[in-house]
Amino acid sequence: MELEDLKKNWSVMEERLGRLEMENRKLLHRAVDSKVKQMRQRLLLRLTFIVFLLPMLLWQITRQNEFEFSPLTWGLVSLFLVTILIRQCTWAYLLNRIDCNRMAVREVCLAEARFRQSFKMGIAVSVLLAIPMLASMIGDMIRFGNPYIVYGAWTGLAIGLILGLRLFFRAWGGVKELREAIEELG
């Protein structure tokens, strides 16, 4: 009698354990999906800024007839904006490829690794393109002859650098959180 009770209790415990493991796996999948969704929303917000607000800012700059930027500056600005747009679209595409419900854990890990690598490369290329663009802009502003424009440019550069670093570390934190959530799957 005791042996049969033990077997019965054992099978009940195995069944409970199986259900708990399935619930745990579902919670981990939801956590990864939540991180991916959060990163997609941030990307969409940045993409909206690039597509809608930046052209309005550039249009406002071109309306000032007394201050004309050189063709080199406009070329570097255009190259920078196109690179940022490509970077954001690539990140959105790679984030869409991370799907726990359709992929094995190994595939999810590989997709996350591709996204992380693209993130690092995208940031590095953006910084490398921003340096000559900003140098050309400040050079043109010096040529305008108004010292207050140059002071404003340096102040804007300092504030932009601080905000850019804050955004970078926040985004990098999101990438790290996504990686940790995916590592818990395995």
Side-chain angles (χ1 to χ4, degrees), residues 35-82:
K35 297 291 180 195
V36 169
K37 184 179 178 183
Q38 183 182 28
M39 292 184 76
R40 281 185 196 140
Q41 289 173 343
R42 287 180 184 166
L43 273 175
L44 183 62
L45 180 66
R46 290 182 194 121
L47 195 58
T48 303
F49 174 76
I50 291 168
V51 171
F52 294 112
L53 297 179
L54 213 48
M56 287 191 295
L57 176 69
L58 292 174
W59 178 73
Q60 185 65 26
I61 290 172
T62 59
R63 289 188 43 203
Q64 306 296 327
N65 291 334
E66 60 189 273
F67 306 118
E68 284 191 31
F69 287 105
S70 67
L72 173 66
T73 300
W74 284 115
L76 291 171
V77 167
S78 299
L79 179 65
F80 180 75
L81 290 177
V82 167

mmCIF file of all heavy atoms in Angstrom, residues 35-82:
data_model
loop_
_atom_site.group_PDB
_atom_site.id
_atom_site.type_symbol
_atom_site.label_atom_id
_atom_site.label_comp_id
_atom_site.label_asym_id
_atom_site.label_seq_id
_atom_site.Cartn_x
_atom_site.Cartn_y
_atom_site.Cartn_z
ATOM 1 N N LYS A 35 10.918 42.776 -23.372
ATOM 2 C CA LYS A 35 12.147 43.551 -23.631
ATOM 3 C C LYS A 35 12.246 43.921 -25.104
ATOM 4 O O LYS A 35 12.614 45.050 -25.447
ATOM 5 C CB LYS A 35 13.384 42.751 -23.218
ATOM 6 C CG LYS A 35 13.464 42.438 -21.753
ATOM 7 C CD LYS A 35 13.711 43.667 -20.944
ATOM 8 C CE LYS A 35 13.787 43.287 -19.472
ATOM 9 N NZ LYS A 35 13.677 44.417 -18.601
ATOM 10 N N VAL A 36 11.929 42.976 -25.982
ATOM 11 C CA VAL A 36 11.990 43.248 -27.424
ATOM 12 C C VAL A 36 10.971 44.324 -27.788
ATOM 13 O O VAL A 36 11.281 45.260 -28.541
ATOM 14 C CB VAL A 36 11.753 41.951 -28.240
ATOM 15 C CG1 VAL A 36 11.559 42.256 -29.712
ATOM 16 C CG2 VAL A 36 12.923 40.992 -28.062
ATOM 17 N N LYS A 37 9.770 44.234 -27.223
ATOM 18 C CA LYS A 37 8.736 45.231 -27.500
ATOM 19 C C LYS A 37 9.166 46.616 -27.010
ATOM 20 O O LYS A 37 8.978 47.617 -27.699
ATOM 21 C CB LYS A 37 7.424 44.816 -26.831
ATOM 22 C CG LYS A 37 6.276 45.720 -27.138
ATOM 23 C CD LYS A 37 4.999 45.246 -26.471
ATOM 24 C CE LYS A 37 3.868 46.199 -26.747
ATOM 25 N NZ LYS A 37 2.636 45.806 -26.061
ATOM 26 N N GLN A 38 9.763 46.667 -25.846
ATOM 27 C CA GLN A 38 10.234 47.931 -25.293
ATOM 28 C C GLN A 38 11.313 48.544 -26.188
ATOM 29 O O GLN A 38 11.296 49.741 -26.459
ATOM 30 C CB GLN A 38 10.785 47.695 -23.888
ATOM 31 C CG GLN A 38 11.249 48.922 -23.177
ATOM 32 C CD GLN A 38 11.832 48.591 -21.807
ATOM 33 O OE1 GLN A 38 12.355 47.502 -21.587
ATOM 34 N NE2 GLN A 38 11.741 49.530 -20.899
ATOM 35 N N MET A 39 12.230 47.713 -26.680
ATOM 36 C CA MET A 39 13.284 48.226 -27.554
ATOM 37 C C MET A 39 12.711 48.678 -28.894
ATOM 38 O O MET A 39 13.176 49.666 -29.472
ATOM 39 C CB MET A 39 14.365 47.170 -27.740
ATOM 40 C CG MET A 39 15.139 46.917 -26.455
ATOM 41 S SD MET A 39 16.485 45.779 -26.674
ATOM 42 C CE MET A 39 17.651 46.857 -27.490
ATOM 43 N N ARG A 40 11.705 47.977 -29.408
ATOM 44 C CA ARG A 40 11.052 48.398 -30.657
ATOM 45 C C ARG A 40 10.399 49.767 -30.486
ATOM 46 O O ARG A 40 10.474 50.614 -31.387
ATOM 47 C CB ARG A 40 9.980 47.387 -31.063
ATOM 48 C CG ARG A 40 10.513 46.162 -31.726
ATOM 49 C CD ARG A 40 9.364 45.287 -32.185
ATOM 50 N NE ARG A 40 9.848 43.967 -32.482
ATOM 51 C CZ ARG A 40 9.218 42.854 -32.185
ATOM 52 N NH1 ARG A 40 8.055 42.886 -31.575
ATOM 53 N NH2 ARG A 40 9.733 41.690 -32.501
ATOM 54 N N GLN A 41 9.750 49.994 -29.345
ATOM 55 C CA GLN A 41 9.108 51.283 -29.102
ATOM 56 C C GLN A 41 10.136 52.408 -29.056
ATOM 57 O O GLN A 41 9.911 53.488 -29.596
ATOM 58 C CB GLN A 41 8.307 51.234 -27.811
ATOM 59 C CG GLN A 41 7.055 50.396 -27.909
ATOM 60 C CD GLN A 41 6.369 50.221 -26.563
ATOM 61 O OE1 GLN A 41 6.956 50.455 -25.524
ATOM 62 N NE2 GLN A 41 5.110 49.790 -26.597
ATOM 63 N N ARG A 42 11.268 52.156 -28.407
ATOM 64 C CA ARG A 42 12.321 53.173 -28.360
ATOM 65 C C ARG A 42 12.864 53.456 -29.759
ATOM 66 O O ARG A 42 13.116 54.614 -30.117
ATOM 67 C CB ARG A 42 13.457 52.717 -27.451
ATOM 68 C CG ARG A 42 13.111 52.756 -25.992
ATOM 69 C CD ARG A 42 14.270 52.299 -25.153
ATOM 70 N NE ARG A 42 13.911 52.242 -23.747
ATOM 71 C CZ ARG A 42 14.621 51.645 -22.843
ATOM 72 N NH1 ARG A 42 15.754 51.040 -23.163
ATOM 73 N NH2 ARG A 42 14.239 51.632 -21.588
ATOM 74 N N LEU A 43 13.058 52.401 -30.546
ATOM 75 C CA LEU A 43 13.533 52.589 -31.918
ATOM 76 C C LEU A 43 12.537 53.382 -32.745
ATOM 77 O O LEU A 43 12.919 54.258 -33.520
ATOM 78 C CB LEU A 43 13.780 51.236 -32.591
ATOM 79 C CG LEU A 43 15.137 50.612 -32.387
ATOM 80 C CD1 LEU A 43 15.180 49.219 -33.002
ATOM 81 C CD2 LEU A 43 16.228 51.459 -32.970
ATOM 82 N N LEU A 44 11.260 53.089 -32.581
ATOM 83 C CA LEU A 44 10.232 53.807 -33.316
ATOM 84 C C LEU A 44 10.226 55.282 -32.943
ATOM 85 O O LEU A 44 10.086 56.146 -33.808
ATOM 86 C CB LEU A 44 8.864 53.184 -33.047
ATOM 87 C CG LEU A 44 7.693 53.793 -33.803
ATOM 88 C CD1 LEU A 44 7.884 53.636 -35.308
ATOM 89 C CD2 LEU A 44 6.400 53.156 -33.359
ATOM 90 N N LEU A 45 10.427 55.570 -31.677
ATOM 91 C CA LEU A 45 10.480 56.961 -31.231
ATOM 92 C C LEU A 45 11.665 57.685 -31.870
ATOM 93 O O LEU A 45 11.523 58.799 -32.377
ATOM 94 C CB LEU A 45 10.579 57.020 -29.702
ATOM 95 C CG LEU A 45 10.634 58.409 -29.081
ATOM 96 C CD1 LEU A 45 9.326 59.152 -29.318
ATOM 97 C CD2 LEU A 45 10.928 58.310 -27.607
ATOM 98 N N ARG A 46 12.823 57.041 -31.875
ATOM 99 C CA ARG A 46 14.007 57.664 -32.485
ATOM 100 C C ARG A 46 13.840 57.802 -33.993
ATOM 101 O O ARG A 46 14.255 58.798 -34.577
ATOM 102 C CB ARG A 46 15.247 56.852 -32.156
ATOM 103 C CG ARG A 46 15.630 56.952 -30.708
ATOM 104 C CD ARG A 46 16.900 56.185 -30.411
ATOM 105 N NE ARG A 46 17.045 56.028 -28.986
ATOM 106 C CZ ARG A 46 17.122 54.872 -28.367
ATOM 107 N NH1 ARG A 46 17.112 53.753 -29.040
ATOM 108 N NH2 ARG A 46 17.231 54.822 -27.054
ATOM 109 N N LEU A 47 13.251 56.815 -34.612
ATOM 110 C CA LEU A 47 13.021 56.864 -36.049
ATOM 111 C C LEU A 47 12.051 57.983 -36.392
ATOM 112 O O LEU A 47 12.231 58.700 -37.383
ATOM 113 C CB LEU A 47 12.493 55.517 -36.539
ATOM 114 C CG LEU A 47 12.525 55.268 -38.034
ATOM 115 C CD1 LEU A 47 13.950 55.385 -38.565
ATOM 116 C CD2 LEU A 47 11.977 53.892 -38.353
ATOM 117 N N THR A 48 11.038 58.173 -35.563
ATOM 118 C CA THR A 48 10.093 59.268 -35.757
ATOM 119 C C THR A 48 10.814 60.609 -35.674
ATOM 120 O O THR A 48 10.559 61.507 -36.481
ATOM 121 C CB THR A 48 8.981 59.203 -34.693
ATOM 122 O OG1 THR A 48 8.341 57.933 -34.784
ATOM 123 C CG2 THR A 48 7.968 60.306 -34.882
ATOM 124 N N PHE A 49 11.729 60.735 -34.729
ATOM 125 C CA PHE A 49 12.504 61.966 -34.602
ATOM 126 C C PHE A 49 13.305 62.215 -35.869
ATOM 127 O O PHE A 49 13.319 63.322 -36.406
ATOM 128 C CB PHE A 49 13.440 61.897 -33.392
ATOM 129 C CG PHE A 49 14.367 63.065 -33.298
ATOM 130 C CD1 PHE A 49 13.910 64.297 -32.862
ATOM 131 C CD2 PHE A 49 15.691 62.952 -33.664
ATOM 132 C CE1 PHE A 49 14.755 65.384 -32.787
ATOM 133 C CE2 PHE A 49 16.546 64.032 -33.590
ATOM 134 C CZ PHE A 49 16.073 65.252 -33.150
ATOM 135 N N ILE A 50 13.963 61.174 -36.370
ATOM 136 C CA ILE A 50 14.804 61.330 -37.561
ATOM 137 C C ILE A 50 13.969 61.676 -38.776
ATOM 138 O O ILE A 50 14.305 62.569 -39.548
ATOM 139 C CB ILE A 50 15.626 60.045 -37.812
ATOM 140 C CG1 ILE A 50 16.675 59.877 -36.725
ATOM 141 C CG2 ILE A 50 16.299 60.069 -39.175
ATOM 142 C CD1 ILE A 50 17.337 58.523 -36.727
ATOM 143 N N VAL A 51 12.847 61.009 -38.954
ATOM 144 C CA VAL A 51 12.058 61.175 -40.161
ATOM 145 C C VAL A 51 11.263 62.483 -40.167
ATOM 146 O O VAL A 51 11.157 63.128 -41.196
ATOM 147 C CB VAL A 51 11.116 59.962 -40.354
ATOM 148 C CG1 VAL A 51 10.118 60.193 -41.463
ATOM 149 C CG2 VAL A 51 11.931 58.711 -40.631
ATOM 150 N N PHE A 52 10.747 62.898 -39.026
ATOM 151 C CA PHE A 52 9.863 64.058 -39.020
ATOM 152 C C PHE A 52 10.497 65.338 -38.478
ATOM 153 O O PHE A 52 10.364 66.396 -39.074
ATOM 154 C CB PHE A 52 8.595 63.754 -38.211
ATOM 155 C CG PHE A 52 7.742 62.711 -38.844
ATOM 156 C CD1 PHE A 52 7.584 61.478 -38.253
ATOM 157 C CD2 PHE A 52 7.102 62.953 -40.045
ATOM 158 C CE1 PHE A 52 6.800 60.504 -38.838
ATOM 159 C CE2 PHE A 52 6.320 61.985 -40.649
ATOM 160 C CZ PHE A 52 6.174 60.754 -40.039
ATOM 161 N N LEU A 53 11.167 65.241 -37.352
ATOM 162 C CA LEU A 53 11.654 66.464 -36.716
ATOM 163 C C LEU A 53 12.958 66.988 -37.311
ATOM 164 O O LEU A 53 13.135 68.197 -37.438
ATOM 165 C CB LEU A 53 11.800 66.245 -35.211
ATOM 166 C CG LEU A 53 10.502 65.929 -34.471
ATOM 167 C CD1 LEU A 53 10.770 65.713 -32.996
ATOM 168 C CD2 LEU A 53 9.486 67.031 -34.676
ATOM 169 N N LEU A 54 13.865 66.109 -37.652
ATOM 170 C CA LEU A 54 15.151 66.561 -38.182
ATOM 171 C C LEU A 54 15.016 67.289 -39.519
ATOM 172 O O LEU A 54 15.661 68.327 -39.706
ATOM 173 C CB LEU A 54 16.105 65.374 -38.289
ATOM 174 C CG LEU A 54 17.566 65.671 -38.058
ATOM 175 C CD1 LEU A 54 17.800 66.496 -36.809
ATOM 176 C CD2 LEU A 54 18.357 64.397 -37.983
ATOM 177 N N PRO A 55 14.196 66.804 -40.455
ATOM 178 C CA PRO A 55 14.029 67.587 -41.692
ATOM 179 C C PRO A 55 13.459 68.982 -41.442
ATOM 180 O O PRO A 55 13.858 69.940 -42.119
ATOM 181 C CB PRO A 55 13.068 66.736 -42.528
ATOM 182 C CG PRO A 55 13.315 65.357 -42.068
ATOM 183 C CD PRO A 55 13.593 65.492 -40.589
ATOM 184 N N MET A 56 12.550 69.114 -40.459
ATOM 185 C CA MET A 56 12.032 70.448 -40.148
ATOM 186 C C MET A 56 13.138 71.355 -39.609
ATOM 187 O O MET A 56 13.207 72.527 -39.944
ATOM 188 C CB MET A 56 10.880 70.349 -39.150
ATOM 189 C CG MET A 56 9.616 69.797 -39.760
ATOM 190 S SD MET A 56 8.154 69.960 -38.719
ATOM 191 C CE MET A 56 8.566 68.918 -37.349
ATOM 192 N N LEU A 57 14.026 70.788 -38.789
ATOM 193 C CA LEU A 57 15.147 71.562 -38.267
ATOM 194 C C LEU A 57 16.072 71.993 -39.406
ATOM 195 O O LEU A 57 16.492 73.155 -39.463
ATOM 196 C CB LEU A 57 15.912 70.739 -37.232
ATOM 197 C CG LEU A 57 17.169 71.382 -36.671
ATOM 198 C CD1 LEU A 57 16.816 72.577 -35.806
ATOM 199 C CD2 LEU A 57 17.968 70.375 -35.895
ATOM 200 N N LEU A 58 16.371 71.088 -40.306
ATOM 201 C CA LEU A 58 17.235 71.424 -41.437
ATOM 202 C C LEU A 58 16.578 72.462 -42.345
ATOM 203 O O LEU A 58 17.251 73.359 -42.862
ATOM 204 C CB LEU A 58 17.588 70.164 -42.227
ATOM 205 C CG LEU A 58 18.489 69.171 -41.502
ATOM 206 C CD1 LEU A 58 18.654 67.910 -42.320
ATOM 207 C CD2 LEU A 58 19.835 69.797 -41.200
ATOM 208 N N TRP A 59 15.276 72.353 -42.537
ATOM 209 C CA TRP A 59 14.572 73.339 -43.352
ATOM 210 C C TRP A 59 14.665 74.714 -42.701
ATOM 211 O O TRP A 59 14.861 75.722 -43.379
ATOM 212 C CB TRP A 59 13.117 72.916 -43.520
ATOM 213 C CG TRP A 59 12.309 73.897 -44.306
ATOM 214 C CD1 TRP A 59 12.367 74.132 -45.652
ATOM 215 C CD2 TRP A 59 11.332 74.801 -43.787
ATOM 216 N NE1 TRP A 59 11.487 75.109 -46.003
ATOM 217 C CE2 TRP A 59 10.826 75.546 -44.873
ATOM 218 C CE3 TRP A 59 10.828 75.041 -42.523
ATOM 219 C CZ2 TRP A 59 9.849 76.516 -44.726
ATOM 220 C CZ3 TRP A 59 9.861 76.007 -42.376
ATOM 221 C CH2 TRP A 59 9.375 76.731 -43.464
ATOM 222 N N GLN A 60 14.549 74.769 -41.389
ATOM 223 C CA GLN A 60 14.655 76.038 -40.664
ATOM 224 C C GLN A 60 16.055 76.633 -40.835
ATOM 225 O O GLN A 60 16.205 77.836 -40.987
ATOM 226 C CB GLN A 60 14.331 75.825 -39.181
ATOM 227 C CG GLN A 60 14.299 77.083 -38.367
ATOM 228 C CD GLN A 60 13.175 78.024 -38.775
ATOM 229 O OE1 GLN A 60 12.160 77.620 -39.301
ATOM 230 N NE2 GLN A 60 13.375 79.304 -38.539
ATOM 231 N N ILE A 61 17.074 75.786 -40.820
ATOM 232 C CA ILE A 61 18.448 76.273 -41.000
ATOM 233 C C ILE A 61 18.623 76.864 -42.388
ATOM 234 O O ILE A 61 19.267 77.907 -42.558
ATOM 235 C CB ILE A 61 19.461 75.137 -40.745
ATOM 236 C CG1 ILE A 61 19.484 74.785 -39.259
ATOM 237 C CG2 ILE A 61 20.859 75.509 -41.219
ATOM 238 C CD1 ILE A 61 20.299 73.547 -38.936
ATOM 239 N N THR A 62 18.067 76.233 -43.404
ATOM 240 C CA THR A 62 18.256 76.716 -44.781
ATOM 241 C C THR A 62 17.503 78.014 -45.039
ATOM 242 O O THR A 62 17.827 78.711 -46.006
ATOM 243 C CB THR A 62 17.795 75.653 -45.807
ATOM 244 O OG1 THR A 62 16.418 75.345 -45.587
ATOM 245 C CG2 THR A 62 18.641 74.403 -45.705
ATOM 246 N N ARG A 63 16.533 78.352 -44.226
ATOM 247 C CA ARG A 63 15.787 79.596 -44.410
ATOM 248 C C ARG A 63 16.615 80.818 -44.036
ATOM 249 O O ARG A 63 16.281 81.932 -44.426
ATOM 250 C CB ARG A 63 14.518 79.565 -43.563
ATOM 251 C CG ARG A 63 13.495 78.601 -44.116
ATOM 252 C CD ARG A 63 12.193 78.688 -43.422
ATOM 253 N NE ARG A 63 11.800 80.076 -43.177
ATOM 254 C CZ ARG A 63 10.951 80.442 -42.233
ATOM 255 N NH1 ARG A 63 10.410 79.548 -41.463
ATOM 256 N NH2 ARG A 63 10.634 81.697 -42.065
ATOM 257 N N GLN A 64 17.680 80.630 -43.273
ATOM 258 C CA GLN A 64 18.527 81.748 -42.869
ATOM 259 C C GLN A 64 19.496 82.070 -44.013
ATOM 260 O O GLN A 64 20.486 81.393 -44.223
ATOM 261 C CB GLN A 64 19.317 81.386 -41.603
ATOM 262 C CG GLN A 64 18.461 80.904 -40.455
ATOM 263 C CD GLN A 64 17.515 81.968 -39.946
ATOM 264 O OE1 GLN A 64 17.827 83.151 -39.966
ATOM 265 N NE2 GLN A 64 16.348 81.551 -39.497
ATOM 266 N N ASN A 65 19.215 83.115 -44.774
ATOM 267 C CA ASN A 65 20.011 83.441 -45.966
ATOM 268 C C ASN A 65 21.410 83.935 -45.630
ATOM 269 O O ASN A 65 22.327 83.766 -46.414
ATOM 270 C CB ASN A 65 19.282 84.482 -46.810
ATOM 271 C CG ASN A 65 18.043 83.909 -47.441
ATOM 272 O OD1 ASN A 65 17.954 82.707 -47.659
ATOM 273 N ND2 ASN A 65 17.069 84.764 -47.722
ATOM 274 N N GLU A 66 21.578 84.554 -44.483
ATOM 275 C CA GLU A 66 22.889 85.119 -44.165
ATOM 276 C C GLU A 66 23.896 84.058 -43.735
ATOM 277 O O GLU A 66 25.095 84.299 -43.761
ATOM 278 C CB GLU A 66 22.753 86.186 -43.087
ATOM 279 C CG GLU A 66 22.173 85.655 -41.776
ATOM 280 C CD GLU A 66 21.852 86.768 -40.817
ATOM 281 O OE1 GLU A 66 22.766 87.156 -40.065
ATOM 282 O OE2 GLU A 66 20.708 87.235 -40.837
ATOM 283 N N PHE A 67 23.441 82.891 -43.347
ATOM 284 C CA PHE A 67 24.337 81.826 -42.908
ATOM 285 C C PHE A 67 24.204 80.629 -43.854
ATOM 286 O O PHE A 67 23.222 79.892 -43.784
ATOM 287 C CB PHE A 67 23.999 81.377 -41.481
ATOM 288 C CG PHE A 67 23.971 82.509 -40.493
ATOM 289 C CD1 PHE A 67 22.802 82.832 -39.822
ATOM 290 C CD2 PHE A 67 25.106 83.261 -40.241
ATOM 291 C CE1 PHE A 67 22.767 83.863 -38.907
ATOM 292 C CE2 PHE A 67 25.079 84.296 -39.331
ATOM 293 C CZ PHE A 67 23.915 84.608 -38.671
ATOM 294 N N GLU A 68 25.187 80.485 -44.719
ATOM 295 C CA GLU A 68 25.147 79.367 -45.659
ATOM 296 C C GLU A 68 26.245 78.379 -45.314
ATOM 297 O O GLU A 68 27.427 78.733 -45.265
ATOM 298 C CB GLU A 68 25.331 79.859 -47.090
ATOM 299 C CG GLU A 68 24.095 80.503 -47.649
ATOM 300 C CD GLU A 68 24.223 80.723 -49.145
ATOM 301 O OE1 GLU A 68 24.895 79.938 -49.822
ATOM 302 O OE2 GLU A 68 23.639 81.705 -49.612
ATOM 303 N N PHE A 69 25.829 77.127 -45.103
ATOM 304 C CA PHE A 69 26.805 76.076 -44.864
ATOM 305 C C PHE A 69 27.397 75.636 -46.194
ATOM 306 O O PHE A 69 26.753 75.715 -47.237
ATOM 307 C CB PHE A 69 26.150 74.887 -44.156
ATOM 308 C CG PHE A 69 25.820 75.150 -42.715
ATOM 309 C CD1 PHE A 69 24.518 75.382 -42.312
ATOM 310 C CD2 PHE A 69 26.823 75.166 -41.765
ATOM 311 C CE1 PHE A 69 24.216 75.635 -40.992
ATOM 312 C CE2 PHE A 69 26.533 75.412 -40.427
ATOM 313 C CZ PHE A 69 25.222 75.654 -40.046
ATOM 314 N N SER A 70 28.616 75.146 -46.134
ATOM 315 C CA SER A 70 29.309 74.710 -47.342
ATOM 316 C C SER A 70 28.694 73.423 -47.886
ATOM 317 O O SER A 70 28.036 72.684 -47.146
ATOM 318 C CB SER A 70 30.792 74.480 -47.029
ATOM 319 O OG SER A 70 30.939 73.379 -46.157
ATOM 320 N N PRO A 71 28.910 73.153 -49.169
ATOM 321 C CA PRO A 71 28.420 71.884 -49.734
ATOM 322 C C PRO A 71 29.011 70.660 -49.023
ATOM 323 O O PRO A 71 28.348 69.630 -48.908
ATOM 324 C CB PRO A 71 28.870 71.930 -51.192
ATOM 325 C CG PRO A 71 29.028 73.381 -51.501
ATOM 326 C CD PRO A 71 29.460 74.023 -50.210
ATOM 327 N N LEU A 72 30.241 70.788 -48.527
ATOM 328 C CA LEU A 72 30.851 69.692 -47.784
ATOM 329 C C LEU A 72 30.034 69.388 -46.528
ATOM 330 O O LEU A 72 29.741 68.219 -46.221
ATOM 331 C CB LEU A 72 32.300 70.031 -47.404
ATOM 332 C CG LEU A 72 32.991 69.030 -46.477
ATOM 333 C CD1 LEU A 72 33.178 67.692 -47.189
ATOM 334 C CD2 LEU A 72 34.319 69.578 -45.994
ATOM 335 N N THR A 73 29.641 70.424 -45.812
ATOM 336 C CA THR A 73 28.844 70.237 -44.598
ATOM 337 C C THR A 73 27.509 69.577 -44.923
ATOM 338 O O THR A 73 27.098 68.633 -44.253
ATOM 339 C CB THR A 73 28.614 71.579 -43.883
ATOM 340 O OG1 THR A 73 29.880 72.133 -43.536
ATOM 341 C CG2 THR A 73 27.775 71.419 -42.637
ATOM 342 N N TRP A 74 26.828 70.080 -45.956
ATOM 343 C CA TRP A 74 25.541 69.484 -46.329
ATOM 344 C C TRP A 74 25.716 68.030 -46.777
ATOM 345 O O TRP A 74 24.872 67.184 -46.477
ATOM 346 C CB TRP A 74 24.850 70.303 -47.417
ATOM 347 C CG TRP A 74 24.243 71.548 -46.865
ATOM 348 C CD1 TRP A 74 24.599 72.823 -47.146
ATOM 349 C CD2 TRP A 74 23.193 71.636 -45.901
ATOM 350 N NE1 TRP A 74 23.837 73.706 -46.419
ATOM 351 C CE2 TRP A 74 22.959 73.002 -45.654
ATOM 352 C CE3 TRP A 74 22.426 70.704 -45.225
ATOM 353 C CZ2 TRP A 74 21.991 73.455 -44.764
ATOM 354 C CZ3 TRP A 74 21.454 71.146 -44.344
ATOM 355 C CH2 TRP A 74 21.244 72.511 -44.120
ATOM 356 N N GLY A 75 26.799 67.737 -47.477
ATOM 357 C CA GLY A 75 27.062 66.358 -47.884
ATOM 358 C C GLY A 75 27.292 65.452 -46.675
ATOM 359 O O GLY A 75 26.762 64.336 -46.619
ATOM 360 N N LEU A 76 28.073 65.948 -45.708
ATOM 361 C CA LEU A 76 28.322 65.155 -44.500
ATOM 362 C C LEU A 76 27.055 64.982 -43.662
ATOM 363 O O LEU A 76 26.818 63.907 -43.102
ATOM 364 C CB LEU A 76 29.437 65.796 -43.672
ATOM 365 C CG LEU A 76 30.839 65.730 -44.277
ATOM 366 C CD1 LEU A 76 31.809 66.585 -43.489
ATOM 367 C CD2 LEU A 76 31.317 64.291 -44.339
ATOM 368 N N VAL A 77 26.229 66.025 -43.592
ATOM 369 C CA VAL A 77 24.960 65.919 -42.870
ATOM 370 C C VAL A 77 24.059 64.888 -43.545
ATOM 371 O O VAL A 77 23.447 64.044 -42.879
ATOM 372 C CB VAL A 77 24.259 67.296 -42.769
ATOM 373 C CG1 VAL A 77 22.813 67.149 -42.308
ATOM 374 C CG2 VAL A 77 25.017 68.216 -41.838
ATOM 375 N N SER A 78 23.983 64.938 -44.869
ATOM 376 C CA SER A 78 23.150 63.978 -45.603
ATOM 377 C C SER A 78 23.651 62.555 -45.403
ATOM 378 O O SER A 78 22.857 61.637 -45.163
ATOM 379 C CB SER A 78 23.148 64.309 -47.098
ATOM 380 O OG SER A 78 22.622 65.591 -47.310
ATOM 381 N N LEU A 79 24.960 62.359 -45.490
ATOM 382 C CA LEU A 79 25.535 61.029 -45.280
ATOM 383 C C LEU A 79 25.240 60.533 -43.867
ATOM 384 O O LEU A 79 24.869 59.374 -43.670
ATOM 385 C CB LEU A 79 27.047 61.063 -45.527
ATOM 386 C CG LEU A 79 27.794 59.759 -45.318
ATOM 387 C CD1 LEU A 79 27.345 58.721 -46.325
ATOM 388 C CD2 LEU A 79 29.302 59.996 -45.424
ATOM 389 N N PHE A 80 25.376 61.418 -42.901
ATOM 390 C CA PHE A 80 25.100 61.057 -41.506
ATOM 391 C C PHE A 80 23.638 60.656 -41.323
ATOM 392 O O PHE A 80 23.340 59.634 -40.706
ATOM 393 C CB PHE A 80 25.463 62.232 -40.594
ATOM 394 C CG PHE A 80 25.213 61.975 -39.141
ATOM 395 C CD1 PHE A 80 26.067 61.158 -38.421
ATOM 396 C CD2 PHE A 80 24.130 62.539 -38.491
ATOM 397 C CE1 PHE A 80 25.849 60.910 -37.071
ATOM 398 C CE2 PHE A 80 23.899 62.306 -37.146
ATOM 399 C CZ PHE A 80 24.759 61.483 -36.442
ATOM 400 N N LEU A 81 22.716 61.441 -41.868
ATOM 401 C CA LEU A 81 21.290 61.147 -41.706
ATOM 402 C C LEU A 81 20.902 59.840 -42.395
ATOM 403 O O LEU A 81 20.130 59.046 -41.845
ATOM 404 C CB LEU A 81 20.444 62.293 -42.240
ATOM 405 C CG LEU A 81 20.488 63.576 -41.422
ATOM 406 C CD1 LEU A 81 19.668 64.658 -42.092
ATOM 407 C CD2 LEU A 81 19.997 63.323 -40.017
ATOM 408 N N VAL A 82 21.446 59.608 -43.590
ATOM 409 C CA VAL A 82 21.152 58.355 -44.297
ATOM 410 C C VAL A 82 21.704 57.170 -43.505
ATOM 411 O O VAL A 82 21.037 56.132 -43.367
ATOM 412 C CB VAL A 82 21.729 58.394 -45.731
ATOM 413 C CG1 VAL A 82 21.723 57.017 -46.370
ATOM 414 C CG2 VAL A 82 20.944 59.377 -46.583
#
